[in-house]
Amino acid sequence: GAVVSQHPSRVICKSGTSVKIECRSLDFQATTMFWYRQFPKQSLMLMATSNEGSKATYEQGVEKDKFLINHASLTLSTLTVTSAHPEDSSFYICSAEGLAGEKETQYFGPGTRLLVL
Amino acid sequence: QQPVQSPQAVILREGEDAVINCSSSKALYSVHWYRQKHGEAPVFLMILLKGGEQKGHEKISASFNEKKQQSSLYLTASQLSYSGTYFCGTAPKSSGNTGKLIFGQGTTLQVKP
């Protein structure tokens, strides 16, 4: 139980294009999903908190117009990196929190490696 | 605001023990421990929700000292598979019960044969 998937696992795009990353909880309903970014050899930095049916809450310094988050259902959240630039290249990981397994536990997806050329 | 983990890195021989500490400057609801292998996503190890709580499975256990705002992860009789970067994630009370986690900088553990 408590499986979270992400798609795609890797993406390479040209500067200026937009990229959409999907995060799905496969066997449980996720009341809340979180989006993180991780640069090489660094920690996980929370970008935003996403609750189903409401607007995402962004962390300080994260541009909400650049990183669009949609949480359309209890099993799906999407992150769209708009007008991507090389500095947006990173490992993007989502996590889902629900009632599966231990309460209040976040289960991470496998991550999406984004490379912007 | 980011919790501080120590040590930053540790190298062990198989069978040896290690302790990883996580210290926060803020009062905490809970502490979560994860292990991440290179190029992969973090894998949940355990969550500690109450001060004084101790948990463990197999040879990995953890404790949470709520008053000191600290948690420790104990790895005993380490195996090669324990290698990776360990992160503590803290849920500060100042964030409300939002589920938000603030992660430490990580502790890299390498277990050698």
Side-chain angles (χ1 to χ4, degrees):
Chain A
V3 178
V4 178
S5 71
Q6 267 184 255
H7 178 79
S9 57
R10 290 178 180 270
V11 58
I12 301 173
C13 69
K14 291 182 179 180
S15 188
T17 59
S18 295
V19 174
K20 181 188 277 190
I21 302 169
E22 290 186 352
C23 176
R24 292 181 186 272
S25 56
L26 297 185
D27 52 1
F28 68 103
Q29 292 186 325
T31 51
T32 306
M33 288 183 171
F34 302 87
W35 287 96
Y36 295 86
R37 181 166 52 183
Q38 186 179 36
F39 293 106
K41 297 188 178 181
Q42 292 190 22
S43 187
L44 297 126
M45 299 304 295
L46 180 65
M47 298 175 67
T49 303
S50 169
N51 291 296
E52 185 261 341
S54 62
K55 288 184 180 180
T57 304
Y58 290 82
E59 294 301 299
Q60 196 171 9
V62 178
E63 299 174 58
K64 60 182 178 182
D65 294 330
K66 181 170 181 63
F67 299 100
L68 301 178
I69 292 172
N70 184 274
H71 194 152
S73 75
L74 285 172
T75 58
L76 173 64
S77 176
T78 59
L79 168 69
T80 301
V81 183
T82 62
S83 187
H85 291 285
E87 58 266 29
D88 298 324
S89 299
S90 188
F91 190 45
Y92 291 86
I93 318 174
C94 71
S95 71
E97 178 186 271
L99 298 178
E102 296 205 51
K103 192 179 175 184
E104 299 180 25
T105 297
Q106 288 186 34
Y107 295 93
F108 282 86
T112 296
R113 200 162 295 281
L114 171 65
L115 176 61
V116 185
L117 302 175
Chain B
Q1 189 173 355
Q2 183 181 33
V4 176
Q5 287 183 234
S6 63
Q8 288 189 341
V10 60
I11 300 174
L12 298 174
R13 292 283 179 195
E14 260 188 303
E16 292 181 337
D17 302 341
V19 180
I20 300 172
N21 299 302
C22 175
S23 181
S24 173
S25 60
K26 294 181 173 290
L28 303 172
Y29 275 126
S30 59
V31 179
H32 306 228
W33 285 97
Y34 291 84
R35 176 174 58 216
Q36 185 179 31
K37 304 259 183 188
H38 181 68
E40 299 178 9
V43 172
F44 171 73
L45 295 177
M46 65 191 79
I47 177 175
L48 299 119
L49 294 168
K50 291 181 285 189
E53 186 172 15
Q54 291 195 339
K55 271 192 174 179
H57 54 85
E58 296 182 349
K59 294 173 184 174
I60 300 176
S61 61
S63 64
F64 176 27
N65 186 324
E66 190 174 3
K67 281 187 180 176
K68 290 186 178 179
Q69 298 164 181
Q70 292 176 346
S71 178
S72 295
L73 184 72
Y74 307 95
L75 303 149
T76 58
S78 58
Q79 305 167 14
L80 294 175
S81 61
Y82 288 4
S83 294
T85 300
Y86 289 79
F87 290 99
C88 66
T90 55
K93 289 185 177 179
S94 57
S95 296
N97 198 10
T98 59
K100 273 175 50 170
L101 293 181
I102 310 298
F103 284 88
Q105 81 278 20
T107 295
T108 302
L109 175 71
Q110 186 180 3
V111 181
K112 293 187 174 181

